[in-house]
Amino acid sequence: MSLEKDDGAVEKLMEEGKKKMDNTSDKYDELNKMELSDHVEKAYAGMGKEELMKYANSPFWVRLRWLLFITFWLSWFAMMFGALFIIFLTPKCFSTSKYGSLQWYQKSPVYIINAASLVSQNGLDEKIEYMQKLGVKNVVLTSVLQADGDEVIDFMNVNISLGNENSMKNLVKNLKNKDMKVMLKLVPNYSSSKNLMFERSVLEETLYKDFYIWNSGYSDGVHHYPINNWLSVTGGSAWSWNEVRKEFYLHQFSAEYPDFNFRNKDVVYYFEEVFKHWLDIGIDGLYLDKVQYLFEDKDFKNDTIITASNETKNYDSFSHKATSNLPETIELLSNWGNLIRNNSGVLIVSDLDSNDIKGINMVHSSVKLPSDFTGEQLFNAILPKATTSWSSWEWVCTDKPNCWKNETIDAFNILGSLLPGMPFINADSKLFENNKIPNITLIQSTLQELRSMPTVEFGSFNAKLLNNDTVFAFDRVMSGSESLLFAWNLSKNVTVLNLNAFDGIPTEVNLSLCTETACSILPPPKSKVDSNQLNLAGESAVVLKF
């Protein structure tokens, strides 16, 4: 009974406690609401219109707005006029030459040098440095093939003077490490009569029987005579009798150089292997010389006499249409060019009638002049090449080798360096003799500087004959860059030049370069001279800048 009363009292106490807790909770809620409401702030509505206009019309803010407005437009106009100034006054940037995009073999002088002069003794690095100072980046190596003198005995092997194939690879590698391109010069027309292939052809071995051009000719029972009137370039008949084979063999040069028969596919294949062999060694291309004589008339027709005297022993008395520049030559060279290109090389050939042959990278032709050439002869020899293409320049005397004096050779070197194109330079046979490195001459160093000018690659070309055709002159002009003028007095006497025949040349010009005799009567190079009254010594040349 007492337990039930106790239970009721407990329940009553629990109910009263719960009510007190509920009341306390309500009081806390009300208190929190009151505290939160005290912290609520009204949002800032900003200045009113009247107040804003009051500040906006303040003299300070009015002046500031006008200052910023004027500054903005002055800056804008300054930038616009600055851009126009740069556009109109900055020299035009040429991405390509007027002759098209120039390749590596067209940009640098081509330096033709006997490979033995580089590898003999020591100092290869110094020799390469010498060539670099000349501005040379393209080197053509000669006398690389195994030979007896100039007679090639083996087209696949290295000349003993160079060591062995590894020596040749090292030479090529060293040149290329100095940022030079390396080409190999060879004459594919003929071999030495001591070549094993010719000896086998003499014996009529099956594979080599028709490797060379043979013909029985005709006989009167006592003497043997060639089938036609073909002459050798070096003089005499182009046919020689072989007593072993009892036939004539063809040689368009000396009798020690029998001509290959390129109508024989085995011969063509052999030279394809020769080219691939040297490209595998590391050379960048091939320079094939005398290629105009690769084919002859297959029916052995006589050459036509073209002189009135009917001279039958003089090579120049014949047309040579049966022995040079035949259509088959173009086709063969085109195929060779494609083969070499597919093996990452370039092909340069010499002295063809056509300059545009598919597959061939360049046709090089020398300028041939007599020892006492005139201004008109020089002008007529240069103008067709200089105005039609990016040409190559090499000067050959038709009278005899080395017929010109040193100052004439200097003038030719200057001329070839400044004409549109690149010069072919034949290194002196005694260069690096006794392992001596020659000094760079003033002409050589100045020419390197001049050739680096954009005017040489991009400038216009305009040639004239002055002073009764005794002075050959031309200018190279490029807008926004220094221009050049070359003048060569071909007479033996001092002449006074007035160069105002060239458009745009100022009265006062800079003397950049002169040959020895010209320098003797002129101020030193880099001096100012009068273009309207320039004294130029006989048989001398100058280069002017303006």
Coordinates of all heavy atoms in Angstrom, one line a residue, residues 81-142:
F81 N 49.9 56.3 -84.4 CA 51.0 56.9 -85.2 C 52.3 56.1 -85.1 O 53.1 56.0 -86.0 CB 51.1 58.3 -84.9 CG 50.0 59.2 -85.4 CD1 49.2 59.9 -84.5 CD2 49.8 59.3 -86.8 CE1 48.1 60.7 -85.0 CE2 48.7 60.1 -87.3 CZ 47.9 60.8 -86.4
G82 N 52.6 55.6 -83.9 CA 53.8 54.8 -83.7 C 53.8 53.6 -84.5 O 54.8 53.2 -85.1
A83 N 52.6 52.9 -84.6 CA 52.5 51.7 -85.4 C 52.7 52.0 -86.9 O 53.4 51.3 -87.6 CB 51.1 51.0 -85.1
L84 N 52.1 53.1 -87.3 CA 52.2 53.5 -88.7 C 53.7 53.8 -89.0 O 54.2 53.5 -90.1 CB 51.3 54.7 -89.0 CG 49.8 54.4 -89.0 CD1 49.0 55.7 -89.2 CD2 49.4 53.4 -90.1
F85 N 54.3 54.5 -88.1 CA 55.7 54.9 -88.3 C 56.6 53.6 -88.5 O 57.4 53.5 -89.4 CB 56.2 55.6 -87.1 CG 57.6 56.1 -87.2 CD1 58.0 57.2 -87.9 CD2 58.6 55.3 -86.5 CE1 59.3 57.6 -87.9 CE2 60.0 55.7 -86.6 CZ 60.3 56.9 -87.3
I86 N 56.3 52.6 -87.6 CA 57.1 51.4 -87.7 C 56.8 50.7 -89.1 O 57.7 50.1 -89.7 CB 56.7 50.4 -86.5 CG1 57.3 51.1 -85.2 CG2 57.3 49.0 -86.7 CD1 56.8 50.3 -84.0
I87 N 55.5 50.6 -89.5 CA 55.2 49.9 -90.7 C 55.8 50.5 -91.9 O 56.4 49.9 -92.8 CB 53.6 49.9 -90.9 CG1 53.0 49.0 -89.8 CG2 53.2 49.5 -92.2 CD1 51.5 49.1 -89.7
F88 N 55.8 51.9 -92.0 CA 56.3 52.6 -93.2 C 57.8 52.8 -93.2 O 58.4 52.8 -94.3 CB 55.6 53.9 -93.4 CG 54.1 53.8 -93.8 CD1 53.1 54.1 -92.9 CD2 53.8 53.4 -95.1 CE1 51.8 53.9 -93.3 CE2 52.5 53.2 -95.4 CZ 51.4 53.5 -94.5
L89 N 58.4 52.9 -92.1 CA 59.8 53.2 -92.1 C 60.8 52.0 -91.8 O 61.9 52.1 -92.1 CB 60.1 54.3 -91.1 CG 59.4 55.7 -91.4 CD1 59.9 56.7 -90.4 CD2 59.8 56.1 -92.8
T90 N 60.2 50.9 -91.3 CA 61.1 49.8 -91.0 C 61.3 49.1 -92.3 O 60.4 48.9 -93.2 CB 60.4 48.8 -90.0 OG1 60.1 49.5 -88.8 CG2 61.2 47.6 -89.8
P91 N 62.6 48.6 -92.6 CA 62.9 47.9 -93.8 C 62.0 46.7 -94.0 O 61.7 46.0 -93.0 CB 64.4 47.5 -93.7 CG 64.9 48.5 -92.7 CD 63.8 48.8 -91.8
K92 N 61.6 46.5 -95.2 CA 60.8 45.3 -95.5 C 61.5 44.0 -95.2 O 62.7 43.9 -95.6 CB 60.3 45.4 -97.0 CG 59.4 44.3 -97.4 CD 58.9 44.4 -98.8 CE 57.9 43.3 -99.2 NZ 57.5 43.4 -100.6
C93 N 60.8 43.1 -94.6 CA 61.4 41.8 -94.3 C 61.1 40.8 -95.4 O 59.9 40.5 -95.7 CB 60.9 41.2 -93.0 SG 61.6 39.7 -92.5
F94 N 62.1 40.3 -96.1 CA 61.9 39.4 -97.3 C 62.1 38.0 -96.7 O 63.1 37.6 -96.2 CB 63.0 39.6 -98.3 CG 62.8 40.9 -99.1 CD1 63.4 42.1 -98.5 CD2 62.1 41.0 -100.2 CE1 63.2 43.3 -99.2 CE2 62.0 42.2 -100.9 CZ 62.5 43.3 -100.4
S95 N 61.0 37.2 -97.0 CA 61.1 35.8 -96.5 C 61.8 34.9 -97.5 O 62.4 33.9 -97.2 CB 59.6 35.3 -96.3 OG 58.9 35.4 -97.5
T96 N 61.7 35.3 -98.8 CA 62.4 34.6 -99.8 C 63.1 35.5 -100.8 O 62.6 36.7 -101.0 CB 61.4 33.6 -100.6 OG1 60.4 34.4 -101.2 CG2 60.9 32.6 -99.7
S97 N 64.1 35.0 -101.6 CA 64.7 35.8 -102.6 C 63.7 35.9 -103.8 O 62.8 35.1 -104.0 CB 66.0 35.1 -103.0 OG 66.5 35.6 -104.2
K98 N 64.0 36.9 -104.7 CA 63.2 37.0 -105.9 C 63.4 35.8 -106.8 O 62.7 35.5 -107.7 CB 63.6 38.3 -106.7 CG 65.0 38.3 -107.1 CD 65.3 39.6 -107.9 CE 64.8 39.5 -109.3 NZ 65.2 40.6 -110.2
Y99 N 64.5 35.0 -106.5 CA 64.8 33.9 -107.3 C 64.2 32.6 -106.7 O 64.5 31.5 -107.1 CB 66.3 33.7 -107.5 CG 67.0 34.9 -108.1 CD1 67.6 35.9 -107.3 CD2 66.9 35.1 -109.5 CE1 68.2 37.0 -107.9 CE2 67.5 36.2 -110.1 CZ 68.1 37.1 -109.3 OH 68.7 38.2 -109.9
G100 N 63.4 32.8 -105.6 CA 62.8 31.7 -105.0 C 63.5 31.4 -103.6 O 64.5 32.1 -103.3
S101 N 63.0 30.4 -102.9 CA 63.6 30.1 -101.6 C 65.0 29.4 -101.9 O 65.1 28.4 -102.6 CB 62.7 29.1 -100.9 OG 63.3 28.7 -99.7
L102 N 66.0 30.0 -101.3 CA 67.4 29.5 -101.6 C 67.7 28.3 -100.6 O 67.4 28.4 -99.5 CB 68.4 30.6 -101.4 CG 68.3 31.8 -102.3 CD1 69.4 32.8 -102.0 CD2 68.3 31.4 -103.8
Q103 N 68.3 27.3 -101.2 CA 68.7 26.1 -100.4 C 70.2 26.3 -99.9 O 70.9 27.2 -100.4 CB 68.6 24.9 -101.3 CG 67.2 24.7 -101.9 CD 66.1 24.5 -100.8 OE1 66.3 23.8 -99.8 NE2 65.0 25.2 -101.0
W104 N 70.6 25.4 -99.1 CA 71.9 25.6 -98.5 C 73.0 25.6 -99.5 O 74.0 26.3 -99.3 CB 72.2 24.4 -97.5 CG 72.2 23.0 -98.0 CD1 71.2 22.1 -97.9 CD2 73.2 22.3 -98.7 NE1 71.5 20.9 -98.5 CE2 72.8 21.0 -99.0 CE3 74.5 22.7 -99.0 CZ2 73.6 20.1 -99.6 CZ3 75.3 21.7 -99.7 CH2 74.8 20.5 -100.0
Y105 N 72.9 24.9 -100.6 CA 74.0 24.8 -101.6 C 74.0 26.1 -102.5 O 74.9 26.2 -103.3 CB 73.8 23.6 -102.5 CG 72.4 23.4 -103.1 CD1 72.0 24.0 -104.2 CD2 71.5 22.6 -102.4 CE1 70.8 23.8 -104.7 CE2 70.2 22.4 -102.9 CZ 69.9 23.0 -104.1 OH 68.6 22.8 -104.6
Q106 N 73.0 27.0 -102.3 CA 72.9 28.2 -103.1 C 73.4 29.4 -102.3 O 73.5 30.5 -102.9 CB 71.5 28.4 -103.6 CG 71.0 27.4 -104.5 CD 69.5 27.6 -104.9 OE1 68.7 27.6 -104.0 NE2 69.3 27.8 -106.1
K107 N 73.6 29.3 -101.0 CA 73.8 30.5 -100.2 C 75.3 30.8 -99.9 O 75.7 32.0 -99.9 CB 73.1 30.3 -98.8 CG 71.6 30.3 -98.9 CD 71.0 30.2 -97.6 CE 69.5 30.2 -97.7 NZ 68.8 30.1 -96.3
S108 N 76.1 29.8 -99.8 CA 77.5 30.0 -99.5 C 78.4 29.8 -100.8 O 78.0 29.1 -101.7 CB 78.0 29.0 -98.4 OG 79.4 28.8 -98.4
P109 N 79.5 30.5 -100.8 CA 80.5 30.2 -101.9 C 80.8 28.7 -101.9 O 80.8 28.1 -100.8 CB 81.7 31.0 -101.5 CG 81.2 32.1 -100.7 CD 80.0 31.6 -99.9
V110 N 81.0 28.1 -103.0 CA 81.4 26.7 -103.2 C 82.9 26.6 -103.3 O 83.5 27.2 -104.2 CB 80.7 26.1 -104.4 CG1 81.1 24.6 -104.6 CG2 79.1 26.1 -104.2
Y111 N 83.5 26.0 -102.3 CA 85.0 26.0 -102.3 C 85.4 24.6 -102.7 O 85.2 23.6 -102.1 CB 85.4 26.2 -100.8 CG 86.8 26.7 -100.7 CD1 87.2 27.9 -101.2 CD2 87.8 25.9 -100.0 CE1 88.5 28.4 -101.0 CE2 89.1 26.4 -99.9 CZ 89.4 27.6 -100.4 OH 90.7 28.1 -100.2
I112 N 86.1 24.6 -103.9 CA 86.6 23.3 -104.5 C 88.1 23.1 -104.1 O 88.9 23.9 -104.4 CB 86.4 23.3 -106.0 CG1 85.0 23.7 -106.4 CG2 86.9 22.0 -106.6 CD1 84.7 23.9 -107.8
I113 N 88.3 22.0 -103.4 CA 89.7 21.8 -102.8 C 90.1 20.4 -102.9 O 89.3 19.5 -102.7 CB 89.7 22.4 -101.4 CG1 91.2 22.3 -100.8 CG2 88.8 21.6 -100.5 CD1 91.3 23.0 -99.5
N114 N 91.4 20.2 -103.2 CA 91.9 18.8 -103.2 C 91.9 18.3 -101.7 O 92.4 18.9 -100.8 CB 93.4 18.9 -103.7 CG 94.0 17.5 -103.9 OD1 93.7 16.5 -103.1 ND2 94.7 17.3 -105.0
A115 N 91.2 17.1 -101.6 CA 91.1 16.6 -100.2 C 92.4 16.3 -99.6 O 92.5 16.4 -98.3 CB 90.2 15.3 -100.3
A116 N 93.4 15.9 -100.4 CA 94.7 15.6 -99.8 C 95.3 16.8 -99.1 O 96.1 16.6 -98.1 CB 95.7 15.1 -100.9
S117 N 95.1 18.0 -99.5 CA 95.6 19.2 -98.9 C 95.0 19.4 -97.5 O 95.6 20.1 -96.7 CB 95.4 20.4 -99.7 OG 94.1 20.8 -99.8
L118 N 93.9 18.8 -97.2 CA 93.3 19.0 -95.9 C 93.8 17.9 -94.9 O 94.0 18.2 -93.7 CB 91.8 18.9 -96.0 CG 91.0 20.0 -96.7 CD1 89.5 19.7 -96.8 CD2 91.2 21.3 -95.9
V119 N 94.0 16.7 -95.4 CA 94.4 15.6 -94.5 C 95.9 15.5 -94.3 O 96.4 14.8 -93.4 CB 93.8 14.3 -94.9 CG1 92.3 14.4 -95.0 CG2 94.3 13.9 -96.3
S120 N 96.7 16.1 -95.2 CA 98.1 16.0 -95.1 C 98.6 16.6 -93.9 O 98.2 17.7 -93.5 CB 98.8 16.6 -96.4 OG 98.5 18.0 -96.4
Q121 N 99.6 16.0 -93.2 CA 100.2 16.4 -92.0 C 99.1 16.7 -90.9 O 98.1 16.0 -90.8 CB 101.1 17.7 -92.3 CG 102.2 17.4 -93.3 CD 103.0 18.6 -93.5 OE1 103.4 19.3 -92.6 NE2 103.4 18.8 -94.8
N122 N 99.2 17.9 -90.2 CA 98.3 18.2 -89.1 C 97.6 19.5 -89.4 O 97.7 20.1 -90.4 CB 99.1 18.3 -87.8 CG 99.8 16.9 -87.5 OD1 99.2 15.9 -87.6 ND2 101.0 17.0 -87.1
G123 N 96.8 19.9 -88.4 CA 96.2 21.2 -88.5 C 94.9 21.3 -89.2 O 94.6 22.3 -89.8
L124 N 94.1 20.2 -89.2 CA 92.8 20.2 -89.9 C 91.9 21.3 -89.4 O 91.3 22.0 -90.2 CB 92.2 18.8 -89.8 CG 90.8 18.7 -90.5 CD1 90.9 19.0 -92.0 CD2 90.2 17.3 -90.3
D125 N 91.8 21.4 -88.1 CA 91.0 22.4 -87.5 C 91.3 23.8 -87.9 O 90.5 24.6 -88.2 CB 91.0 22.3 -85.9 CG 90.3 21.1 -85.4 OD1 89.5 20.5 -86.1 OD2 90.6 20.7 -84.2
E126 N 92.6 24.1 -88.0 CA 93.1 25.4 -88.5 C 92.7 25.6 -89.9 O 92.4 26.8 -90.3 CB 94.6 25.6 -88.2 CG 95.0 25.7 -86.8 CD 95.0 24.3 -86.1 OE1 94.8 23.3 -86.7 OE2 95.2 24.3 -84.8
K127 N 92.8 24.6 -90.7 CA 92.5 24.7 -92.1 C 91.0 25.0 -92.3 O 90.6 25.8 -93.2 CB 92.9 23.4 -92.9 CG 94.4 23.2 -92.9 CD 94.8 21.9 -93.5 CE 96.3 21.6 -93.4 NZ 96.7 20.3 -93.9
I128 N 90.2 24.3 -91.6 CA 88.8 24.5 -91.6 C 88.4 25.9 -91.2 O 87.6 26.6 -91.8 CB 88.0 23.4 -90.8 CG1 88.2 22.0 -91.4 CG2 86.5 23.8 -90.7 CD1 87.6 20.9 -90.5
E129 N 89.1 26.4 -90.1 CA 88.9 27.7 -89.6 C 89.2 28.8 -90.7 O 88.5 29.8 -90.8 CB 89.7 28.0 -88.4 CG 89.5 29.3 -87.7 CD 90.3 29.6 -86.5 OE1 91.0 28.6 -86.0 OE2 90.3 30.7 -86.0
Y130 N 90.3 28.5 -91.4 CA 90.6 29.4 -92.5 C 89.5 29.5 -93.6 O 89.1 30.6 -94.0 CB 91.9 28.9 -93.2 CG 92.2 29.6 -94.5 CD1 92.9 30.8 -94.5 CD2 91.9 29.0 -95.7 CE1 93.2 31.5 -95.7 CE2 92.2 29.6 -96.9 CZ 92.8 30.9 -96.9 OH 93.1 31.5 -98.1
M131 N 88.9 28.4 -93.9 CA 87.8 28.4 -94.9 C 86.6 29.1 -94.3 O 85.9 29.8 -95.0 CB 87.5 26.9 -95.3 CG 88.6 26.2 -96.1 SD 88.1 24.7 -96.8 CE 88.0 23.6 -95.4
Q132 N 86.4 28.9 -93.0 CA 85.2 29.6 -92.4 C 85.4 31.1 -92.5 O 84.4 31.8 -92.7 CB 85.1 29.1 -90.9 CG 84.6 27.7 -90.8 CD 84.5 27.3 -89.3 OE1 85.4 27.5 -88.6 NE2 83.4 26.6 -89.0
K133 N 86.6 31.6 -92.3 CA 86.9 33.0 -92.4 C 86.6 33.6 -93.8 O 86.4 34.7 -94.0 CB 88.3 33.3 -92.0 CG 88.6 33.1 -90.5 CD 90.0 33.4 -90.1 CE 90.3 33.3 -88.6 NZ 91.7 33.5 -88.3
L134 N 86.6 32.7 -94.8 CA 86.3 33.1 -96.1 C 84.8 33.1 -96.4 O 84.3 33.5 -97.4 CB 87.0 32.1 -97.2 CG 88.5 32.1 -97.2 CD1 89.0 31.1 -98.2 CD2 89.1 33.4 -97.5
G135 N 84.0 32.6 -95.4 CA 82.6 32.6 -95.5 C 82.1 31.3 -96.2 O 81.0 31.2 -96.6
V136 N 83.0 30.3 -96.2 CA 82.7 29.0 -96.9 C 81.9 28.1 -96.0 O 82.3 27.8 -94.9 CB 84.0 28.4 -97.4 CG1 83.7 27.0 -98.0 CG2 84.7 29.2 -98.5
K137 N 80.8 27.6 -96.5 CA 80.1 26.5 -95.8 C 79.8 25.3 -96.7 O 79.4 24.3 -96.2 CB 78.7 27.1 -95.3 CG 78.9 28.1 -94.2 CD 77.5 28.5 -93.6 CE 77.7 29.4 -92.5 NZ 76.4 29.8 -91.9
N138 N 80.2 25.4 -98.0 CA 80.0 24.3 -99.0 C 81.4 23.9 -99.5 O 82.0 24.8 -100.2 CB 79.1 24.7 -100.1 CG 77.7 25.1 -99.6 OD1 77.2 24.6 -98.6 ND2 77.0 25.9 -100.4
V139 N 81.8 22.7 -99.2 CA 83.1 22.3 -99.6 C 83.0 21.1 -100.6 O 82.2 20.2 -100.4 CB 83.9 21.8 -98.4 CG1 85.3 21.3 -98.9 CG2 84.1 22.9 -97.4
V140 N 83.6 21.3 -101.8 CA 83.7 20.2 -102.8 C 85.1 19.6 -102.8 O 86.1 20.3 -103.0 CB 83.3 20.7 -104.2 CG1 83.5 19.6 -105.2 CG2 81.9 21.3 -104.3
L141 N 85.1 18.3 -102.4 CA 86.4 17.6 -102.3 C 86.7 17.0 -103.7 O 85.9 16.3 -104.3 CB 86.3 16.5 -101.3 CG 86.1 17.0 -99.8 CD1 86.0 15.8 -98.9 CD2 87.1 18.0 -99.4
T142 N 88.0 17.2 -104.1 CA 88.4 16.6 -105.4 C 89.5 15.5 -105.0 O 90.0 15.5 -103.9 CB 89.0 17.6 -106.4 OG1 90.2 18.2 -105.8 CG2 88.0 18.7 -106.6

